[in-house]
Amino acid sequence: MDQLQQLFPQVGPVPFPGAYLAHNLRQATRQPSQPFVYANFVASLDGRIAVPAADGRGLTVPKQTANERDWRLYQELAAQADLIISSGRYLRDWAAGRAQEILQVDDPRFADLRAWRQERGLKPQPDIAIISGSLRFPIPEVLTAGGRKVVVFTTAQPDPDRVREIEDQAGRVFVVGEERVEGGRLARQMAELGYETVYSAAGPQIVHLLLAANVLDRLYLTHASRLLGGVPFASIVEGPLFAQAVDMRLNTLYFDPAGLDGLGQLFVSYERV
Ligand SMILES: NC(=O)c1ccc[n+]([C@@H]2O[C@H](COP(=O)([O-])OP(=O)(O)OC[C@H]3O[C@@H](n4cnc5c(N)ncnc54)[C@H](OP(=O)(O)O)[C@@H]3O)[C@@H](O)[C@H]2O)c1
């Protein structure tokens, strides 16, 4: 059987497909009136999670770090969610043909994850939350298929015409911040809507707003054993200095010797303190 080498908290082999399903995120302890919120990134050793896209339009996950085995664990994290957070940028990329479904339940490689959700009475797809100040994004029809809900979180005094358009087409719009979406208000609103297990698949600005409000419970990082260099690039967190450093405690650590065609990679998770 395919395996990872667990290095913390115990040492020993663990089965590879299934390593993150075994984290049982739907049973994780939540803070009162908040969902359990987790995020995930694959990063190069020099901390790059996104580099300029080949077509020169914006940033994208580097092809040198993206890999099948990381993608499998990403899917295992997404499969456990009842809400996935994404951004206005994601929908703009989707419209431009540069983004794909986050949880790929229609891919035969992940048929087991579809079955896993079904066994637990979950819809094939988690609902999707879009965080956007601009509200400038198209909503692809596929996003609202199969009973999936779209929830949009934005800032004060949104354009009422745009709100009506989004609500007619897709889902509800909630104001959860003044100038910027604020993590505490976002988390409370998600809880009020009944969401308990929330995966942030978005990028460094959204992780920043979650960390600034102390509502990110778990951070998953894949360290691909490669360095890329170059500017510009995105790292896992982007935004102003935190008033206080955010402390995280090591939760699990696995070495994947087969990752990146035998180069190897580390799968690490950290828990909020
Ligand atoms: N390597 C990895 O594992 C990984 C993981 C995730 C993302 N990425 C990459 O990282 C790059 C950036 O991703 P991203 O654009 O999704 O992430 P992001 O930087 O977190 O989000 C950017 C968008 O989210 C909205 N936003 C963020 N913070 C907000 C706030 N406080 N209030 C209101 N709106 C806010 C804005 O939307 P509006 O402009 O609509 O207002 C903004 O354009 C992409 O290239 C992506 O592929 C890599």
Side-chain angles (χ1 to χ4, degrees):
M1 192 205 291
D2 200 356
Q3 291 177 332
L4 303 178
Q5 184 65 26
Q6 180 162 346
L7 303 171
F8 184 86
Q10 294 95 26
V11 175
V14 295
F16 165 63
Y20 278 174
L21 276 185
H23 281 209
N24 275 327
L25 298 173
R26 299 188 64 78
Q27 269 79 53
T29 310
R30 289 183 276 131
Q31 301 182 75
S33 311
Q34 283 188 17
F36 182 83
V37 184
Y38 55 106
N40 171 60
F41 291 99
V42 55
S44 65
L45 293 186
D46 47 345
R48 277 133 174 94
I49 64 132
V51 297
D55 63 8
R57 290 187 299 171
L59 300 181
T60 190
V61 178
K63 59 181 182 324
Q64 298 92 332
T65 55
N67 68 89
E68 289 279 310
R69 292 170 70 83
D70 172 69
W71 187 232
R72 166 69 206 191
L73 292 187
Y74 177 101
Q75 294 294 313
E76 291 186 11
L77 294 176
Q80 295 176 68
D82 44 34
L83 182 70
I84 293 182
I85 297 179
S86 195
S87 68
R89 190 274 317 157
Y90 168 70
L91 292 186
R92 289 190 287 274
D93 277 4
W94 187 314
R98 292 185 289 145
Q100 52 186 340
E101 279 284 8
I102 294 170
L103 175 59
Q104 307 226 320
V105 284
D106 294 327
D107 184 329
R109 288 176 300 166
F110 306 124
D112 63 312
L113 298 178
R114 189 187 185 100
W116 187 95
R117 289 184 61 85
Q118 204 167 12
E119 282 156 21
R120 285 156 185 80
L122 300 168
K123 294 179 291 190
Q125 281 287 354
D127 290 345
I128 186 149
I130 302 297
I131 296 184
S132 172
S134 72
L135 294 183
R136 278 197 303 272
F137 50 77
I139 298 185
E141 264 176 30
V142 62
L143 270 195
T144 51
R148 176 164 33 172
K149 291 200 190 101
V150 178
V151 203
V152 176
F153 296 105
T154 191
T155 45
Q157 290 160 352
D159 172 359
D161 291 339
R162 185 65 191 126
V163 170
R164 206 168 311 113
E165 266 172 26
I166 294 172
E167 295 202 323
D168 285 348
Q169 190 199 349
R172 297 179 63 191
V173 178
F174 294 92
V175 170
V176 287
E178 295 308 311
E179 301 284 308
R180 306 290 291 157
V181 164
E182 196 274 310
R185 285 177 66 180
L186 170 71
R188 283 191 295 281
Q189 185 66 67
M190 292 191 296
E192 269 175 41
L193 291 167
Y195 295 111
E196 297 184 347
T197 313
V198 177
Y199 181 31
S200 175
Q205 294 176 25
I206 287 174
V207 163
H208 188 284
L209 76 87
L210 297 170
L211 287 167
N214 202 23
V215 297
L216 187 76
D217 296 285
R218 180 120 13 119
L219 178 62
Y220 284 89
L221 290 179
T222 298
H223 294 288
S225 307
R226 282 189 170 132
L227 297 97
L228 302 178
V231 284
F233 66 91
S235 67
I236 66 168
V237 180
E238 282 175 7
L241 263 183
F242 295 118
Q244 235 188 327
V246 180
D247 294 346
M248 305 289 281
R249 190 168 283 132
L250 185 63
N251 179 56
T252 53
L253 172 60
Y254 309 94
F255 177 56
D256 173 24
L260 295 162
D261 301 320
L263 181 63
Q265 59 192 335
L266 290 174
F267 297 124
V268 195
S269 72
Y270 295 91
E271 197 101 76
R272 45 171 283 146
V273 175

